Amino acid sequence: MAEGRIPRLAPDDARSAAAGVGIPEYMADLSVFQVLLHNPNVAAALHEMLRRLLWEGALDMRLRELIIMRLGWSTGSEYEWTQHWRVARQLGVEEDDLIAVRDWQSSDRFGPIEQAVLAATDDVVATGAISEATWVRCTDALPDPALLVELVVAIGNWSLFSSLLRSLQIPLEDGVEPWPPDGRSPA
């Protein structure tokens, strides 16, 4: 079992800690939660944000996964990149779209909506905030204020996860190989 900066809880201990704060057992099997569950209250708060954004959010799932994949790539988060490759594929996002986020500005795979949210993602990575010019593109692409709020929260949430994954050096789960198929890694 590969370790990062903080050892993962044993699976049974992680499941027990997860059950105590209402985190589903399957989440306790992920390396990230086996580390986060050293602090169950923090793990529960992070899980709740993930749950709401992943399964109750109004933002299109494909757009959300493109944002996450772009963050994983541009921040060098191998764990985020690999995990969300699997999530995105399960949600039907095409492999070519996921590969294209690495150099989305040169890709013909994305229309104005995708370009706006990927530009917003890049702005946040580069400066910590969405620029005025990019914000105008986002409001044109997503005129609903609720979607704009969720867009900013999604970028912020997965930026947070990228930072914690890299800072804690969370290892991939045992038996999981880093993605992508062409051997180019975000790390």
Side-chain angles (χ1 to χ4, degrees), residues 24-174:
E25 185 174 294
Y26 71 90
M27 294 297 284
D29 292 334
L30 297 174
S31 294
V32 63
F33 277 92
Q34 290 173 347
V35 172
L36 292 174
L37 282 161
H38 281 283
N39 186 325
N41 289 331
V42 168
L46 290 170
H47 172 263
E48 182 62 16
M49 179 72 82
L50 286 175
R51 185 187 69 75
R52 295 231 181 219
L53 289 171
L54 286 170
W55 311 122
E56 296 178 13
L59 192 64
D60 176 77
M61 285 188 262
R62 179 175 173 274
L63 287 177
R64 183 196 65 232
E65 291 303 317
L66 293 176
I67 290 166
I68 298 167
M69 294 299 289
R70 180 63 186 166
L71 280 163
W73 181 260
S74 61
T75 63
S77 178
E78 183 176 74
Y79 188 96
E80 189 166 41
W81 178 257
T82 299
Q83 289 297 353
H84 276 275
W85 159 257
R86 296 186 316 187
V87 172
R89 292 297 295 134
Q90 288 170 351
L91 294 172
V93 181
E94 293 181 33
E95 182 175 320
D96 288 343
D97 288 348
L98 299 176
I99 292 170
V101 300
R102 298 184 298 196
D103 186 22
W104 67 268
Q105 301 92 334
S106 299
S107 175
D108 62 0
R109 296 196 63 83
F110 305 119
I113 295 172
E114 293 94 343
Q115 291 174 5
V117 300
L118 290 169
T121 303
D122 283 357
D123 283 358
V124 171
V125 169
T127 68
I130 299 170
S131 71
E132 189 59 38
T134 302
W135 184 255
V136 169
R137 292 173 65 189
C138 289
T139 60
D140 288 345
L142 302 168
D144 180 349
L147 290 176
L148 292 167
V149 168
E150 189 171 331
L151 170 67
V152 172
V153 171
I155 294 169
N157 179 71
W158 277 283
S159 294
L160 164 74
F161 266 88
S162 174
S163 179
L164 76 84
L165 291 164
R166 291 177 296 119
S167 294
L168 294 172
Q169 298 176 356
I170 304 292
L172 292 170
E173 286 73 30
D174 295 334

